[in-house]
Amino acid sequence: MNRRHFFRQAATAGVGAAAATALAAPAIAQENPKISWRMTSSFTKNTDILWSAGTDIVGSVKEASDGNFTISPFAAAEIVPGLQAADAVSNGTVEMAHTCCYYYIGKDPAFALGTAVPFGLNARQTNSWFSVGGGNELINEFLAGYNLYALPAGNTGVQMGGWYRKEINTVSDLNGLKMRIAGLAGQVMQKLGVTPQQIAGGDVYAALEKGTIDATEFVGPYDDQKLGFVKVAKYYYYPAWWEGGPAVHAFFNREKFNALPKSYQRMLKDACANANQNMLARYDAHNAKALKQLVAEGAVLKPFSQEILDASYKAAQEVYAELNAKNPAFKKIYDSQQAFKKDGYLWNQIAEYTYDTYMMVQQRKGTL
């Protein structure tokens, strides 16, 4: 081959490669467009485990998209108050939110079933119901009426029963109590004489300190210690029979989510699953140490009495009967959860309960 022929071939090949690159570039850009979203949170930055689940989503999506899909996170009240996050997503003020479904039961009680209901699923059952028990499909069928699409993006595990200014030993001790409590638990507590209050997390300490409320539930030892509740109410009860495994969700504007490239939708789904796992792991890792510190700071740790638990369970069944009779959306989701819960606890008592019980005996003996 002479030199002239060689360079003619090389030039032709170069033109072909450049043309291929020119054709491929728009296709790649179309598949991975530059998109910027905003995410409002119902949580403040000082409740760092709750807040960081949202920033986990932000970081995962940015990394997976090579920086093409970015989400700017905003804490509660930076764009809208924490309890208005769903409205901000629904009306398109922001593209997404990190929040809890049960904050919005004023719109429809069925919202509560997306987070937790009294004597409902524990954390593992909640995750399983959403993932393989049809829960995610049922919740999103309901949320479609609000222009929302949701994915589980956190779980705290079973929570504590809250902080009280006085001892709560009998049902009569609950009468007249003003308590910050969210979701359907407020309706159950109301049947027992409590006046429920829904207050955003960032405002709870001040309300308790000023006596606007007499008691509050929040999450568990790690958050409760950071928020300083032990300084204004020393009686610390357990368990939160109303939150056996509450889910936290990422809410998306349904139209905005559906308009995303499929690859970006997958990134969000994977990022939310990762955040969901991380939140539960962080609480499990930090709650025990925080509980010890709270007791050292003066918290009086007490279980709810059997009388209170039984009365609460009875009241919860009354609430469910009332809602199922008049709210088809609630009944459809509730029936699914109930069926899943029955099988879940059948399995739990066969294996996990007996294992955990044995290990707790060893702990009491000091052999663990």
Side-chain angles (χ1 to χ4, degrees), residues 150-208:
L151 293 169
N155 196 302
T156 68
V158 64
Q159 297 189 3
M160 292 292 284
W163 297 88
Y164 300 75
R165 290 179 172 274
K166 65 175 185 177
E167 288 191 70
I168 306 295
N169 296 314
T170 66
V171 174
S172 62
D173 292 331
L174 293 170
N175 193 44
L177 199 77
K178 294 179 300 228
M179 183 176 182
R180 184 267 186 185
I181 188 164
L184 290 185
Q187 295 183 28
V188 175
M189 282 290 207
Q190 199 165 19
K191 285 182 174 288
L192 303 178
V194 171
T195 302
Q197 310 283 321
Q198 183 145 304
I199 303 173
D203 301 324
V204 175
Y205 181 93
L208 197 58

Side-chain angles (χ1 to χ4, degrees), residues 353 356-368:
Y353 176 77
D356 288 347
T357 300
Y358 180 79
M359 296 305 293
M360 286 186 284
V361 169
Q362 300 313 306
Q363 185 180 49
R364 286 195 293 269
K365 289 180 178 179
T367 60
L368 187 61

Side-chain angles (χ1 to χ4, degrees), residues 123-135 340:
R124 285 177 55 182
Q125 291 165 356
T126 295
N127 284 332
S128 183
W129 178 71
F130 275 119
S131 180
V132 299
F340 197 85

Side-chain angles (χ1 to χ4, degrees), residues 1-70:
M1 181 184 296
N2 63 42
R3 291 178 62 196
R4 290 182 181 178
H5 182 68
F6 173 81
F7 285 121
R8 278 199 303 271
Q9 282 190 320
T12 302
V15 170
T21 301
L23 288 170
I28 293 170
Q30 189 175 8
E31 291 173 5
N32 299 283
K34 291 280 187 182
I35 294 178
S36 296
W37 275 14
R38 296 192 302 170
M39 177 186 71
T40 188
S41 176
S42 288
F43 312 111
T44 55
K45 294 177 183 177
N46 64 331
T47 52
D48 58 293
I49 293 181
L50 289 166
W51 167 254
S52 64
T55 58
D56 282 350
I57 297 169
V58 169
S60 295
V61 168
K62 182 178 180 180
E63 182 178 351
S65 67
D66 289 328
N68 288 317
F69 186 9
T70 59

Side-chain angles (χ1 to χ4, degrees), residues 113-131 154-159 239-248 276 280 284 337-338 340-349 352-353 356:
L113 293 158
T115 302
V117 295
F119 303 101
L121 305 172
N122 65 24
R124 285 177 55 182
Q125 291 165 356
T126 295
N127 284 332
S128 183
W129 178 71
F130 275 119
S131 180
N155 196 302
T156 68
V158 64
Q159 297 189 3
W241 42 263
W242 50 88
E243 290 180 300
V248 182
N276 190 55
L280 187 57
D284 282 346
Q337 281 193 359
Q338 281 295 103
F340 197 85
K341 182 174 66 175
K342 288 178 181 178
D343 285 343
Y345 277 111
L346 176 64
W347 164 239
N348 285 163
Q349 68 180 323
E352 187 166 349
Y353 176 77
D356 288 347

Side-chain angles (χ1 to χ4, degrees), residues 17-343:
T21 301
L23 288 170
I28 293 170
Q30 189 175 8
E31 291 173 5
N32 299 283
K34 291 280 187 182
I35 294 178
S36 296
W37 275 14
R38 296 192 302 170
M39 177 186 71
T40 188
S41 176
S42 288
F43 312 111
T44 55
K45 294 177 183 177
N46 64 331
T47 52
D48 58 293
I49 293 181
L50 289 166
W51 167 254
S52 64
T55 58
D56 282 350
I57 297 169
V58 169
S60 295
V61 168
K62 182 178 180 180
E63 182 178 351
S65 67
D66 289 328
N68 288 317
F69 186 9
T70 59
I71 303 168
S72 299
F74 295 87
E78 289 183 347
I79 297 180
V80 295
L83 300 183
Q84 294 178 22
D87 290 329
V89 177
S90 181
N91 64 31
T93 300
V94 294
E95 289 81 10
M96 65 177 291
H98 192 233
T99 188
C100 292
C101 286
Y102 69 2
Y103 291 159
Y104 312 104
I105 64 168
K107 299 178 185 296
D108 191 308
F111 271 96
L113 293 158
T115 302
V117 295
F119 303 101
L121 305 172
N122 65 24
R124 285 177 55 182
Q125 291 165 356
T126 295
N127 284 332
S128 183
W129 178 71
F130 275 119
S131 180
V132 299
N136 210 50
E137 291 77 12
L138 285 171
I139 290 296
N140 279 306
E141 178 185 301
F142 165 71
L143 291 177
Y146 297 87
N147 193 30
L148 296 170
Y149 177 74
L151 293 169
N155 196 302
T156 68
V158 64
Q159 297 189 3
M160 292 292 284
W163 297 88
Y164 300 75
R165 290 179 172 274
K166 65 175 185 177
E167 288 191 70
I168 306 295
N169 296 314
T170 66
V171 174
S172 62
D173 292 331
L174 293 170
N175 193 44
L177 199 77
K178 294 179 300 228
M179 183 176 182
R180 184 267 186 185
I181 188 164
L184 290 185
Q187 295 183 28
V188 175
M189 282 290 207
Q190 199 165 19
K191 285 182 174 288
L192 303 178
V194 171
T195 302
Q197 310 283 321
Q198 183 145 304
I199 303 173
D203 301 324
V204 175
Y205 181 93
L208 197 58
E209 184 179 36
K210 293 174 183 176
T212 306
I213 55 175
D214 306 305
T216 185
E217 59 84 35
F218 194 68
V219 178
Y222 181 75
D223 285 334
D224 293 354
Q225 185 189 33
K226 291 175 73 67
L227 294 172
F229 293 145
V230 69
K231 299 173 185 176
V232 287
K234 70 176 183 178
Y235 295 103
Y236 197 24
Y237 280 83
Y238 64 91
W241 42 263
W242 50 88
E243 290 180 300
V248 182
H249 272 85
F251 277 6
F252 305 94
N253 180 284
R254 196 173 189 86
E255 294 171 0
K256 294 285 187 180
F257 184 88
N258 289 338
L260 288 172
K262 294 296 183 184
S263 59
Y264 284 7
Q265 292 181 9
R266 171 48 58 191
M267 288 175 197
L268 283 170
K269 291 176 180 179
D270 291 346
C272 288
N274 179 61
N276 190 55
Q277 174 181 290
N278 286 348
M279 182 185 289
L280 187 57
R282 287 168 182 154
Y283 275 118
D284 282 346
H286 294 299
N287 273 334
K289 181 180 178 181
L291 183 59
K292 292 177 184 178
Q293 291 173 339
L294 284 168
V295 171
E297 292 171 17
V300 179
L301 195 61
K302 296 178 73 70
F304 284 123
S305 67
Q306 193 66 43
E307 177 190 338
I308 288 175
L309 288 174
D310 289 345
S312 301
Y313 188 85
K314 180 175 181 292
Q317 305 317 303
E318 292 173 2
V319 169
Y320 296 142
E322 293 163 5
L323 289 171
N324 285 330
K326 62 185 181 183
N327 189 321
F330 184 94
K331 186 177 188 305
K332 183 175 183 179
I333 303 170
Y334 176 79
D335 286 349
S336 173
Q337 281 193 359
Q338 281 295 103
F340 197 85
K341 182 174 66 175
K342 288 178 181 178
D343 285 343

